[in-house]
Amino acid sequence: MAPEDLELRHGRFRASVRPAAGGSLSGFWFRHEEAPGGEVPVLRPAPPGTTAPLQMASFPLVPFCNRIAGGAFDWQGRTVRLSPNHPGDPFPLHGYGWYAPWRVEAAEPTRVSLRWDHEPGEWPWAFAARADYAL
């Protein structure tokens, strides 16, 4: 677990959340006494200190998931054009939240609530996203 992670524990489960790295889940483990180190990773843990979203165990996909083909879509008579946001991909991928630091709204030993506020820009609508992780 990296120093910037928030650790959650409940029973035999442990999770780490990295708010500064797109509100990501940076690891999830199950305690098993016979496993090396006493834990089994349920999801691949992120390297300590990384902020690269694709190295995380999981991350929020907001305001859209997957790719927007051609980088544009029509909405209520308007064409919205979006630039690629991931190196090497010709189309916008997974929204914008995965590259933004998220704010911790509440943290307890078994749960954390994160929030990210998006102001209009290339994605033309303001919105707030919340990620709740709980064990």
Side-chain angles (χ1 to χ4, degrees):
M1 193 171 93
E4 63 273 17
D5 287 353
L6 299 173
E7 185 174 82
L8 308 177
R9 289 183 179 268
H10 183 72
R12 298 176 75 173
F13 293 97
R14 180 172 70 91
S16 59
V17 178
R18 198 165 297 169
S24 299
L25 184 64
S26 52
F28 181 47
W29 299 267
F30 176 74
R31 191 174 67 242
H32 190 286
E33 291 75 20
E34 296 176 25
E39 290 183 319
V40 176
V42 176
L43 298 174
R44 168 195 68 183
T50 187
T51 57
L54 293 176
Q55 292 186 13
M56 298 296 156
S58 181
F59 51 86
L61 307 177
V62 292
F64 58 89
C65 64
N66 214 331
R67 291 165 178 81
I68 295 181
F73 61 93
D74 293 325
W75 178 257
Q76 297 183 346
R78 171 185 179 186
T79 298
V80 176
R81 298 194 188 287
L82 305 172
S83 303
N85 60 339
H86 184 68
D89 198 321
F91 305 125
L93 177 66
H94 298 330
Y96 305 100
W98 63 317
Y99 283 110
W102 289 51
R103 185 175 71 248
V104 177
E105 287 199 313
E108 299 173 22
T110 61
R111 67 180 57 241
V112 64
S113 291
L114 307 177
R115 180 182 171 114
W116 178 59
D117 294 298
H118 174 78
E119 295 300 322
E122 188 173 64
W123 183 264
W125 301 283
F127 67 90
R130 194 169 105 188
D132 294 315
Y133 295 102
L135 295 178

